[in-house]
Amino acid sequence: GIQVEQSPPDLILQEGANSTLRCNFSDSVNNLQWFHQNPWGQLINLFYIPSGTKQNGRLSATTVATERYSLLYISSSQTTDSGVYFCAVLSYGQNFVFGPGTRLSVLP
Amino acid sequence: ETGVTQSPTHLIKTRGQQVTLRCSSQSGHNTVSWYQQALGQGPQFIFQYYREEENGRGNFPPRFSGLQFPNYSSELNVNALELDDSALYLCASSLDGGGMYEQFFGPGTRLTVL
């Protein structure tokens, strides 16, 4: 089945800093989503982005499907951005597969 | 528009018991997927239900079973609970099966097996 890697595994930032999270996947995908999991376990949808670029406020994402990676950019980070960020992908005929996540801590 | 809801929020069971978790899909969604998330890991796909039929299953034993009802709500049943079944169980709904649509997750049920 498809393999998903995320980097870095852990990231500590000062409030106001920018960051880039990466998701690599081993096969072509029909579906790619980025999620933020808050401390209570809720998975919050950030982007549905099987290809192309999207922006939503301080967050933006780019997926280069031909090169099998996606990037999530967080600008001017805030303490409320802390949590775990997951990339999840689906390849045709297979199940939705989550990466191991990037744990982000934003310090005041 | 009502989001995905799950019940109960927390549950404590003992080894060998059976448990039923419930999920109501987002309005207009006919597909429900269930995931297990162990501490410190990403969610793992258990199975998906599309229009009341199982539509894909992950690497979980048969003691994990499910149902989807005509209103597209769903249940996850786990028999003969083991200590390793302790996890956060997440339900997600999407507009249709096939994986081409965005999935939306409920708040989860945290199961502890003693």
Side-chain angles (χ1 to χ4, degrees):
Chain A
I2 194 168
Q3 305 295 314
V4 183
E5 300 175 345
Q6 289 187 244
S7 60
D10 295 279
L11 188 57
I12 300 175
L13 299 174
Q14 233 20 76
E15 199 168 27
N18 303 328
S19 61
T20 301
L21 282 58
R22 186 176 181 103
C23 171
N24 291 332
F25 42 95
S26 62
D27 203 350
S28 57
V29 298
N30 303 95
N31 184 337
L32 187 149
Q33 290 185 240
W34 282 98
F35 298 93
H36 174 213
Q37 189 166 44
N38 66 22
W40 298 272
Q42 174 80 56
L43 280 169
I44 298 162
N45 289 39
L46 298 178
F47 294 101
Y48 168 72
I49 187 165
S51 64
T53 297
K54 291 186 177 180
Q55 179 155 7
N56 184 6
R58 297 181 297 104
L59 273 58
S60 63
T62 295
T63 297
V64 183
T66 53
E67 297 187 23
R68 299 180 183 170
Y69 73 88
S70 183
L71 301 174
L72 176 69
Y73 305 96
I74 305 175
S75 64
S76 304
S77 57
Q78 302 175 357
T79 55
T80 51
D81 294 332
S82 296
V84 183
Y85 289 79
F86 288 105
C87 159
V89 304
L90 185 142
S91 188
Y92 184 75
Q94 299 186 31
N95 305 321
F96 213 43
V97 176
F98 278 76
T102 292
R103 182 173 299 277
L104 175 65
S105 300
V106 181
L107 306 178
Chain B
E1 184 180 273
T2 307
V4 180
T5 61
Q6 292 186 244
S7 63
T9 306
H10 296 86
L11 204 50
I12 299 174
K13 292 286 189 177
T14 55
R15 200 169 40 180
Q17 285 188 311
Q18 179 266 343
V19 68
T20 297
L21 310 182
R22 295 177 175 84
C23 171
S24 291
S25 60
Q26 186 166 311
S27 176
H29 289 186
N30 63 17
T31 300
V32 171
S33 302
W34 287 92
Y35 296 81
Q36 180 195 67
Q37 186 177 21
L39 200 61
Q41 297 182 20
Q44 301 287 317
F45 176 78
I46 303 175
F47 44 56
Q48 181 184 85
Y49 278 84
Y50 169 62
R51 295 185 177 181
E52 302 179 59
E53 298 285 332
E54 188 177 288
N55 184 41
R57 187 178 183 94
N59 189 25
F60 281 82
R63 59 189 186 84
F64 285 78
S65 63
L67 278 174
Q68 188 177 33
F69 300 99
N71 67 354
Y72 303 128
S73 66
S74 177
E75 287 183 354
L76 164 66
N77 299 290
V78 187
N79 293 323
L81 283 167
E82 300 177 359
L83 297 180
D84 285 348
D85 295 334
S86 295
L88 179 67
Y89 288 85
L90 294 162
C91 157
S93 76
S94 57
L95 195 59
D96 208 350
M100 300 295 290
Y101 296 92
E102 190 172 1
Q103 292 202 49
F104 296 86
F105 282 79
T109 293
R110 196 166 295 277
L111 173 64
T112 302
V113 182
L114 303 176

